[in-house]
Amino acid sequence: MKAFIVAGTHSSVGKTTIAIGLMAALRKRGIVIQPFKAGPDYIDPSYHKTVCGRPSYNLDTWMMGVDAVKRTFARAMQDADIGIIEGVMGLFDGKDGRDDYGSTAHVAKILKLPVILVVDARSMARSAGALVYGYERFDPGVKIAGVIFNRVGSVRHYEMLKDAVEAKCKARALGYIPRDEDIIMPERHLGLEMAEETWGMGQGAGGRKKLIHLIERFVDIDEILKTGIGGRRTVKSERLNPKSEIIRIAVAMDNAFCFYYQENLDMLKQLGAKLVSFSPLKDKRLPENINGIYLGGGYPELYARRLEANKALRKEIKAFADKGLPIYAECGGLMYLGKGLKDFKGKKYEMVGVFPWVSRMLEKRRSLGYRE
């Protein structure tokens, strides 16, 4: 069971770009790739799914626990040729500064997988050797098998980076990506834009083709394929007792509500639920004969005007709640269930009104991190 992890020295080094570039280049060779994302992230997995043609699963030791991460990884890998896990933030960043829980490094250790470290080489040459040297020795339990440099200025620049790393470190230089604005993916306040909006269409399609070309030209893909290690494909099945009756759950799926963990949807199906998608942006009615509603996160603040304008559906959801029927909402879905939503400019829009609060979007994040 071959797999490896693509991690970064810190956020914004280009690990998502390189991870999906590797996925796309390997899929072009006819290889079946199972993608994963370390940590709590909905956006990067949307790119994984678009590129690999199969859902990406989150692996988070703090939220799921070690055993659940192992089960999820093994189960998803059953019919794949190779697994690629994209890391979160920097390699060792997790719950706090004291231990590795919730970090990419922790996932690497419990799954015994090698790490390919992405280093942003802009304004750096021999110092890259010191950087990788430190990462290798910070936790000897994490195997850094190779390094890919991003934003490299020239062939000569890469040769200096390669020499610096291989003179002092165990890791091998596996290639680089030159500086190229065409492959930069568009971002917004929560990170990258969703893949369904840009990647694979219009200008995004051109960037995708360019990225594959750069990966194939400047990265040693054959050596990377040797990096993954083998393991057992067997996984102990969990016994879920599906309901005898068919439970129909309406799941909001559109540009405003698109943040879901694939495993949550899988478990509902395994327990006998039939998931019926609907759009709070477009549909005037809820799906027929439903027993519950699932409102995930997303970007209601970007589509507040259209959500407000769809009064018919807001009224139906409010009536559904008033009957005492179950609604599960999180993040943007919970904002939608409030009385109102104020956008970045302070303009207020009416929402469903199940709860009395008004959500307000700010220009800057109030905080970021795990909460219990």
Side-chain angles (χ1 to χ4, degrees), residues 10 19 21 25 52 88 132-133 156 166 182 184 197 202-203 223 248 256 280 317-318 338 353 358:
H10 56 279
C52 297
V88 59
V132 176
Y133 184 86
R156 174 60 183 150
E166 295 189 347
D182 291 341
I184 296 176
E197 298 176 66
Q203 187 177 355
E223 188 63 31
R248 287 170 54 87
I317 294 174
K318 177 67 162 58
V358 174

Side-chain angles (χ1 to χ4, degrees), residues 139-210:
D139 186 344
V142 179
K143 180 189 175 184
I144 299 177
V147 180
I148 296 177
F149 297 100
N150 193 27
R151 302 186 180 103
V152 174
S154 64
V155 174
R156 174 60 183 150
H157 184 197
Y158 173 65
E159 290 173 349
M160 293 172 68
L161 296 164
K162 182 176 185 292
D163 290 344
V165 167
E166 295 189 347
K168 292 285 187 180
C169 308
K170 295 179 182 177
R172 291 194 61 235
L174 297 171
Y176 70 99
I177 300 295
R179 297 174 195 166
D180 194 317
E181 299 298 319
D182 291 341
I183 62 172
I184 296 176
M185 292 176 285
E187 295 191 39
R188 57 164 66 106
H189 53 286
L190 293 182
L192 297 175
E193 293 182 7
M194 295 295 286
E196 293 84 353
E197 298 176 66
T198 56
W199 197 245
M201 61 182 68
Q203 187 177 355
R208 178 176 174 176
K209 292 177 181 177
K210 184 77 170 287

Side-chain angles (χ1 to χ4, degrees), residues 18 22 116-120 146-150 172-177 215 219 224:
I18 289 173
L22 289 171
I116 295 175
L117 189 66
V118 177
V119 175
D120 185 347
V147 180
I148 296 177
F149 297 100
N150 193 27
R172 291 194 61 235
L174 297 171
Y176 70 99
I177 300 295
I215 289 284
V219 176
I224 286 174

Side-chain angles (χ1 to χ4, degrees), residues 226-344:
K226 298 175 186 176
T227 299
I229 61 172
R232 294 180 298 126
R233 284 186 179 268
T234 57
V235 56
K236 186 177 180 181
S237 61
E238 297 173 89
R239 288 190 173 275
L240 296 177
N241 298 314
K243 299 290 184 182
S244 56
E245 60 179 314
I246 299 298
I247 302 296
R248 287 170 54 87
I249 299 176
V251 182
M253 287 281 190
D254 57 23
N255 287 344
F257 302 99
C258 47
F259 290 1
Y260 293 93
Y261 290 126
Q262 181 64 37
E263 197 152 15
N264 285 347
L265 303 177
D266 289 353
M267 286 190 287
L268 289 171
K269 292 177 184 177
Q270 290 165 13
L271 288 164
K274 179 175 177 57
L275 305 185
V276 185
S277 63
F278 74 103
S279 170
L281 291 174
K282 300 176 182 178
D283 296 331
K284 303 300 181 184
R285 301 287 308 273
L286 285 167
E288 295 182 355
N289 303 318
I290 58 170
N291 306 97
I293 302 173
Y294 185 178
L295 296 165
Y299 297 102
E301 66 276 9
L302 298 182
Y303 300 93
R305 185 187 299 274
R306 290 175 61 186
L307 292 171
E308 179 188 59
N310 194 350
K311 294 180 180 179
L313 187 68
R314 288 194 287 115
K315 187 176 179 180
E316 276 212 5
I317 294 174
K318 177 67 162 58
F320 191 89
D322 289 342
K323 291 177 184 177
L325 294 166
I327 301 177
Y328 178 74
E330 55 192 11
C331 192
L334 199 59
M335 293 159 60
Y336 181 55
L337 289 185
K339 183 179 179 181
L341 169 61
K342 290 185 179 180
D343 64 14
F344 291 105

Side-chain angles (χ1 to χ4, degrees), residues 90-121:
L91 175 58
F92 299 105
D93 299 322
K95 173 178 173 286
D96 53 43
R98 293 185 297 272
D99 58 43
D100 57 7
Y101 253 80
S103 70
T104 306
H106 195 203
V107 172
K109 287 197 293 187
I110 66 169
L111 296 179
K112 298 181 174 61
L113 295 179
V115 170
I116 295 175
L117 189 66
V118 177
V119 175
D120 185 347

